[in-house]
Amino acid sequence: MRIYLDDNKKELASIICNKCKKEIKVENGIVKEGCFCGDTQFGYFSNKDGMKYFFDLCEECYDKMITEFAVPVETEEVKELL
Ligand SMILES: [Zn+2]
């Protein structure tokens, strides 16, 4: 869950992990620790057509979630680090 300083959602104040409620470190609008940003919109053929879904997970909750996957997540080395 993202909390913004302004109504236009431009200035990020803080992020709360939707699963465990841990506050994810944000300084001057920049996310300073691991965070999974869930942002999806199901399509016409789903039961959720017309809705967007947003959530955030801290790195620990993300790690727990992916251990439950039957097929491991795909990974790829990033050449240019953020
Ligand atoms: Zn968490």
Side-chain angles (χ1 to χ4, degrees), residues 10-76:
K10 297 281 185 196
E11 295 180 62
L12 183 63
S14 64
I15 302 175
I16 308 294
C17 174
N18 283 72
K19 186 168 183 187
C20 73
K21 294 185 176 177
K22 176 191 163 188
E23 186 166 356
I24 296 163
K25 194 173 180 184
V26 174
E27 283 180 10
N28 299 321
I30 297 166
V31 184
K32 292 286 192 169
E33 63 181 300
C35 177
F36 175 85
C37 173
D39 176 350
T40 194
Q41 181 175 356
F42 291 88
Y44 177 75
F45 297 104
S46 74
N47 294 321
K48 301 173 185 64
D49 187 32
M51 293 295 295
K52 286 184 175 181
Y53 295 84
F54 305 97
F55 65 93
D56 293 283
L57 294 177
C58 70
E59 192 167 358
E60 189 179 337
C61 288
Y62 170 83
D63 288 343
K64 285 181 191 168
M65 178 180 75
I66 66 170
T67 61
E68 295 172 4
F69 289 1
V71 177
V73 297
E74 292 181 42
T75 61
E76 184 178 295

